[in-house]
Amino acid sequence: MALQLVGLTNHVRGFSLPGTKILNISLILVAAFCALSPVDTRAEIISKESGSTVTSTSGLIISANLPSGTAGVFYSGSIIASGGTPPYQFAIVDGSLPKGLTLNSTSGAVIGTPTAATKSYFWVQATDTQGMVAKLHPQIIIESSSGSTITVTISPTSVIVASGTTQQFAATVQGTSNTAVTWSATAGTVSSGGIFTAPKVTSNTNVTVTATSAADTTKKASASVSISAGTFPLSITTSSVPGAQSGVAYTYQIAATGGAMPYQWSIASGSLPQGFTLNSSGVLNGSTTQSGAFSFTVQVTDASNGTTSKAFSLSVSAPAPSGGNYDGPAELPRVYMQSTIADTPAPGTTMLVSAGGSLQTALNNANCGDTIQLAAGATFSGVFTLPAKSCDNLHWIIIRTSAPDASLPPEGSRMTPCYSGVASLPGRPSFNCSSPKNLLAKVLYAQSAGSGPFKLAPGANHYRFLGLEIARVPGTGSIGPLISVSGVADHVVVDRVWLHGSPQDDTQTGINFGGMTYAAVIDSYVSDFHCTSVTGSCTDAHAVSGGNSSTAGGPYQINRNFLEASGENIMFGGGGATTTPADIEIRQNHFFKPLTWMSGQPGFVGGASGNPFI
C-alpha cells in the first residue's frame, strides 16, 4: 500500500491511493478511519518486532539469519519460514535491502555483493499456500573495509584567501547512502557546513582543510588553502546570474571577496524586473509578471567604504504555455527547496543556553549566522518568537541541541523519540532502540489555548531547527499549531525534530506552512495530532498544513518524515485563500494512524471524554 509522490514511495498504513505526482496545485492528502473494510483473518498479519522470530496465530513462523557483511565482499544470509502449509513465498514489503543484495522469493536466500557500508531496516513477509502471512522487521549491517567503494571529493581543491576571511567548501560522497562528512582544518576553523574561517596571520600560511566520510572514516579528501597576510582588493566574484521565469519565485546570492567585511550591496544603475529587489546582503530575489532581458549594475561597498561594481543581465522567460510538456493541466515543481546543512551555513558564533536560561533572550541577541545551542536534556517552557532579522542564504540562524552531531541520526536519516529517552510509543512501529538517550533539548508550550511554543514574527527568515523535541504540556486543553507564523516568513527548515502533541489532548497541527515560502520539514517524527469527536474544540487535525492564506506558498519540501494525524497527515487548502501553493516536494514519508485510535481496538485511546478522534 503506497502513496507515490514525485516518483518515490511514501508509506501509508491502512490506506492506498493510486500512483500520482506532486503537482502545481493545492493538494489534500486525507487518510482517516471513516470506513475500514472487514479484514480477511486468513491473511491477517500477526507480527511483532521482538528478536529475530515472529509466529502468526496460524502457526506460521518467520525468522532471519542475517549476519553482518562487508562492502565489496560477497554476502549470504537467509529468511526462514516454518509451520503453516509449505511451500512459502518471501517478499520485501517495506524498506529495502542494502544495494547489491537480493531476496530469492522461493528459497528466502539473501545474497549478493553489497556496494556500500550501511545499516538497512526492512519488512519481510512469508506467505504459505493457505494465504497465512507472518512479517518480520530485521536489519542488515554492512561494514566498510579497506576495499570500500566509498569516495570523497572536495571543491575547490586549492584556493587563496586573505587573513581572517571565509571560504565555502563542498564535499561529495559516493558509494554510500550516508553522504555526511565531518570537517577539520590544520589551522583556523571550519563549520559543520564546510565554511572555513582563515586564521589571522602576519605572514603567508598554508592550511589543509579535510572532509572525512561519516560512513567510513578512512575515506577523506583535502583542499589546500594559501592564506595571504595582506588584504585582497574588493571584487565581485559572481560572473553571471541564472535566468528567471515569469510568475516563479526567484532567489540568487551575488558574492564578493577581498576588502573589509561586512559588505553592503545596491543597484548602481539600470533596472530590475518589477517585483525584484537586491537586498543589502547581496541576495537578488522576487517574482515578476514581466519577461525579457533586464540589464543592471550591482555595487558593493565594504566596511572601509571601498567600492566596486559589475554589470549583469537577467533574462526572464515568459510563463510556460498551458499543456506544453507537462502532465495535463498540472506540472512538476519548477523550484525546489534546498535544505541540507551545506545549504544553510551558520558561520557566526555559537551561544549555549543552559537549563534555566532564557531562550527568548538568545533569539533576540542572535546575529545572522549564529548558532543557538540548547542544553541537551533540558526543558524550555513558554512561547518563543523568532524575530525578523536581515539574514541571507549564507547566514542562517540555527537553533539546536547541544548534543554533538555524532550522537544524533546522521544527516538524511529520520529522528525518532529514542533520542529523547523514549524506547517505544504504544501502537507505533518500533524505533529499534536498544539504548534510549535523552539527547534532545525539549521546548514546551504550557498554555491552555492559542499556539506555540514557536512563532515566527512577520518577516522572520533563515531559521533552522535541529535536534529538538517540540511539544505541549499534557492536560492543558486544545491548542493550535506548534510552529506557525504571524504574517509571512521565509527560509525555515525543521530538521531531525520530534514534533508531537499529547496522547489525549486536542492538538490541531504540527507545523503550519501558511504564510511561509521556502520551508521544509525533513527527517522528523511528527505524532499525536488529533481532534476529539463531538466534545473536542477542533474538528480537523494535521501533521503539516498550509495553503490557506493570501501569501503564495512554496516551494515546500516534506521528505523522509514519520507523519501522524487523525485528520489529514498533510493538507494544503481547506480554508479561505486567494493564492494556491505550488512547487511542493513530498518524498519517502511514512504516513501512519495507530489502530489504537479506532474504537473497539485493544489499547484504544481517544480524547479525555472517551470519544474517538475525528
Side-chain angles (χ1 to χ4, degrees):
M1 292 173 285
L3 175 62
Q4 192 77 1
L5 303 177
V6 199
L8 293 178
T9 300
N10 291 268
H11 305 294
V12 183
R13 174 171 180 170
F15 310 94
S16 64
L17 291 176
T20 184
K21 299 177 180 178
I22 283 299
L23 307 175
N24 234 350
I25 57 175
S26 57
L27 170 70
I28 300 179
L29 304 182
V30 182
F33 288 116
C34 297
L36 285 178
S37 300
V39 177
D40 180 354
T41 56
R42 291 189 311 106
E44 183 178 4
I45 298 165
I46 308 295
S47 63
K48 60 185 186 298
E49 297 173 39
S50 58
S52 59
T53 301
V54 167
T55 304
S56 75
T57 54
S58 68
L60 178 60
I61 299 172
I62 183 172
S63 60
N65 177 20
L66 299 171
S68 297
T70 302
V73 177
F74 183 81
Y75 178 92
S76 178
S78 60
I79 305 297
I80 305 162
S82 60
T85 306
Y88 312 107
Q89 289 289 316
F90 301 90
I92 304 294
V93 294
D94 197 5
S96 61
L97 295 170
K99 290 183 178 179
L101 300 187
T102 59
L103 170 67
N104 187 300
S105 62
T106 56
S107 69
V110 179
I111 59 173
T113 302
T115 60
T118 185
K119 178 187 291 185
S120 295
Y121 291 95
F122 56 95
W123 280 99
V124 60
Q125 90 176 13
T127 307
D128 71 3
T129 55
Q130 299 302 312
M132 297 308 304
V133 174
K135 280 186 178 181
L136 187 69
H137 194 201
Q139 67 170 331
I140 296 178
I141 298 175
I142 303 298
E143 300 174 338
S144 62
S145 69
S146 57
S148 169
T149 58
I150 295 175
T151 60
V152 182
T153 56
I154 193 171
S155 177
T157 57
S158 179
V159 68
I160 300 174
V161 301
S163 172
T165 60
T166 62
Q167 171 67 43
Q168 174 73 63
F169 287 93
T172 301
V173 180
Q174 295 181 321
T176 174
S177 59
N178 182 2
T179 58
V181 297
T182 56
W183 292 92
S184 60
T186 55
T189 61
V190 59
S191 73
S192 60
I195 298 179
F196 170 70
T197 301
K200 294 182 178 180
V201 297
T202 56
S203 60
N204 293 348
T205 304
N206 293 323
V207 172
T208 300
V209 174
T210 302
T212 302
S213 168
D216 182 353
T217 56
T218 66
K219 306 300 180 182
K220 56 188 68 179
S222 297
S224 175
V225 183
S226 298
I227 303 172
S228 171
T231 58
F232 292 124
L234 181 64
S235 65
I236 296 174
T237 56
T238 300
S239 58
S240 61
V241 295
Q245 187 174 46
S246 178
V248 178
Y250 178 97
T251 183
Y252 190 76
Q253 174 73 56
I254 301 177
T257 189
M261 297 182 71
Y263 303 138
Q264 292 289 321
W265 296 81
S266 61
I267 298 295
S269 62
S271 60
L272 297 173
Q274 292 179 3
F276 273 58
T277 60
L278 177 72
N279 69 20
S280 61
S281 299
V283 178
L284 179 64
N285 57 25
S287 178
T288 184
T289 58
Q290 295 180 299
S291 61
F294 298 84
S295 299
F296 55 95
T297 299
V298 169
Q299 177 175 288
V300 61
T301 303
D302 70 4
S304 60
N305 289 323
T307 63
T308 189
S309 59
K310 193 169 189 176
F312 292 97
S313 178
L314 173 63
S315 176
V316 182
S317 61
S322 177
N325 60 346
Y326 302 118
D327 181 11
E331 59 185 88
L332 293 172
R334 298 175 181 175
V335 181
Y336 290 87
M337 175 70 181
Q338 305 300 319
S339 61
T340 68
I341 291 289
D343 294 316
T344 63
T349 60
T350 298
M351 61 182 79
L352 175 65
V353 183
S354 302
S358 174
L359 170 56
Q360 188 61 61
T361 299
L363 291 167
N364 294 342
N365 294 338
N367 295 314
C368 296
D370 287 351
T371 297
I372 301 172
Q373 289 191 350
L374 306 182
T379 298
F380 302 85
S381 297
V383 180
F384 303 102
T385 300
L386 280 60
K389 303 175 186 281
S390 298
C391 300
D392 56 50
N393 288 339
L394 298 179
H395 300 85
W396 287 64
I397 296 174
I398 298 178
I399 308 162
R400 59 163 295 159
T401 176
S402 65
D405 288 342
S407 66
L408 301 175
E411 185 175 12
S413 301
R414 186 181 298 158
M415 175 63 69
T416 72
C418 179
Y419 291 86
S420 196
V422 177
S424 63
L425 289 178
R428 277 73 169 186
S430 171
F431 307 147
N432 300 295
C433 176
S434 58
S435 55
K437 295 182 180 179
N438 195 7
L439 300 172
L440 308 186
K442 183 180 294 186
V443 185
L444 293 181
Y445 183 71
Q447 297 184 19
S448 58
S451 61
F454 282 116
K455 290 188 175 182
L456 287 93
N461 62 90
H462 294 89
Y463 282 98
R464 186 185 194 102
F465 301 92
L466 172 60
L468 304 179
E469 178 182 350
I470 304 173
R472 46 89 47 88
V473 173
T476 52
S478 176
I479 67 170
L482 299 188
I483 302 176
S484 60
V485 58
S486 302
V488 296
D490 64 275
H491 292 83
V492 179
V493 177
V494 178
D495 175 20
R496 285 168 284 172
V497 163
W498 181 21
L499 190 69
H500 67 94
S502 56
Q504 291 191 290
D505 295 295
D506 287 356
T507 311
Q508 189 171 18
T509 304
I511 178 170
N512 187 348
F513 278 168
M516 295 186 194
T517 55
Y518 288 90
V521 180
I522 54 175
D523 300 314
S524 293
Y525 197 100
V526 186
S527 60
D528 259 324
F529 292 94
H530 37 66
C531 299
T532 307
S533 63
V534 183
T535 60
S537 299
C538 61
T539 58
D540 204 15
H542 336 91
V544 181
S545 67
N548 54 352
S549 70
S550 59
T551 302
Y556 295 141
Q557 187 183 83
I558 307 171
N559 288 355
R560 301 179 301 274
N561 305 287
F562 179 93
L563 299 174
E564 173 187 285
S566 64
E568 297 83 28
N569 301 64
I570 298 177
M571 178 174 178
F572 293 106
T578 58
T579 61
T580 301
D583 301 317
I584 304 168
E585 178 187 355
I586 303 176
R587 302 179 186 263
Q588 296 178 302
N589 298 282
H590 187 153
F591 292 87
F592 191 82
K593 298 184 191 310
L595 291 176
T596 53
W597 285 357
M598 186 176 180
S599 298
Q601 288 289 315
F604 167 69
V605 176
S609 65
N611 289 352
F613 302 128
I614 302 173

